[in-house]
C-alpha cells in the first residue's frame, strides 16, 4: 500500500512539473530579433545618475549589458547576478544589490531572462538591504 501511494505521489509530482513548464513557455515575454535601441540609466550609491543609449542585437538585457561592458556579474540559478555596473561594485557586507526596473517598474526576472524590445528604458539602481 505504501509503495502504491509513493508511486502515485511521484506521478502526480511529475505531471505538475510538466504543466509548470508548459505554462512558463506559454506565458513568458517574447523577445525581438534584430537591432534595437535601448536606454539604461544607472543610479549609483551616492544617488548620481548616468544614462547610456545602445544599439544592440541582443534579445535579453544581460547579454546587452555584458556586450557593452556596462555590467559584470556571476552566474547564478537565474542567470547573471549583477555585481558591478559602470565601475561600481555592490558591497555584500552592506547588503547592496543591483535592482533592475523597466520604465519605473521592477522586473521579476534576472538580467539574462529579461527580454528587450526596441526603445525600452531600463534602470539599474544600487539598493541597500535585502
Amino acid at each position: 500500500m505504501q509503495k502504491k501511494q509513493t508511486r502515485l505521489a511521484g506521478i502526480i509530482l511529475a505531471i505538475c512539473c510538466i504543466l509548470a513548464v508548459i505554462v512558463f513557455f506559454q506565458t513568458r515575454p517574447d523577445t525581438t530579433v534584430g537591432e534595437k535601441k535601448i536606454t539604461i540609466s544607472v543610479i549609483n550609491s551616492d544617488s548620481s545618475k548616468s544614462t547610456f543609449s545602445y544599439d544592440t542585437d541582443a534579445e535579453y538585457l544581460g547579454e546587452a549589458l555584458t556586450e557593452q561592458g556596462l555590467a559584470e556579474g556571476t552566474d547564478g540559478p537565474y542567470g547573471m547576478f549583477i555585481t558591478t555596473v559602470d565601475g561600481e561594485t555592490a558591497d555584500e557586507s552592506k547588503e547592496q544589490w543591483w535592482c533592475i526596473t523597466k520604465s519605473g517598474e521592477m522586473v521579476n526576472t534576472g538580467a539574462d531572462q529579461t527580454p528587450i524590445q526596441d526603445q525600452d528604458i531600463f534602470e539599474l539602481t544600487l539598493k541597500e538591504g535585502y
Side-chain angles (χ1 to χ4, degrees):
M1 184 71 166
Q2 182 72 5
K3 282 187 174 185
K4 286 183 181 180
Q5 289 177 342
T6 303
R7 187 177 297 154
L8 180 61
I11 292 170
I12 291 171
L13 179 61
I15 290 170
C16 288
C17 289
I18 291 169
L19 289 174
V21 169
I22 290 170
V23 168
F24 170 76
F25 281 106
Q26 294 292 326
T27 60
R28 71 179 176 177
D30 292 329
T31 62
T32 302
V33 178
E35 189 168 307
K36 297 163 277 298
K37 183 176 185 80
I38 61 171
T39 302
I40 301 169
S41 294
V42 178
I43 297 96
N44 298 90
S45 59
D46 62 0
S47 298
S48 63
K49 183 177 179 179
S50 303
T51 302
F52 304 88
S53 293
Y54 298 116
D55 293 318
T56 182
D57 289 332
E59 293 183 38
Y60 292 94
L61 181 61
E63 182 184 354
L65 292 172
T66 54
E67 86 180 9
Q68 299 298 331
L70 183 60
E72 298 174 13
T74 58
D75 287 330
Y78 305 105
M80 182 173 84
F81 177 74
I82 299 173
T83 55
T84 303
V85 177
D86 194 27
E88 184 169 8
T89 301
D91 185 346
E92 288 184 39
S93 68
K94 295 180 180 177
E95 297 184 344
Q96 290 180 335
W97 57 284
W98 287 99
C99 177
I100 305 170
T101 54
K102 179 178 176 182
S103 300
E105 297 288 323
M106 189 168 170
V107 300
N108 294 323
T109 54
D112 286 341
Q113 299 170 338
T114 302
I116 56 177
Q117 308 285 330
D118 190 36
Q119 303 300 317
D120 274 349
I121 299 171
F122 292 98
E123 302 85 20
L124 300 174
T125 306
L126 188 61
K127 300 277 188 170
E128 193 166 305
Y130 301 133

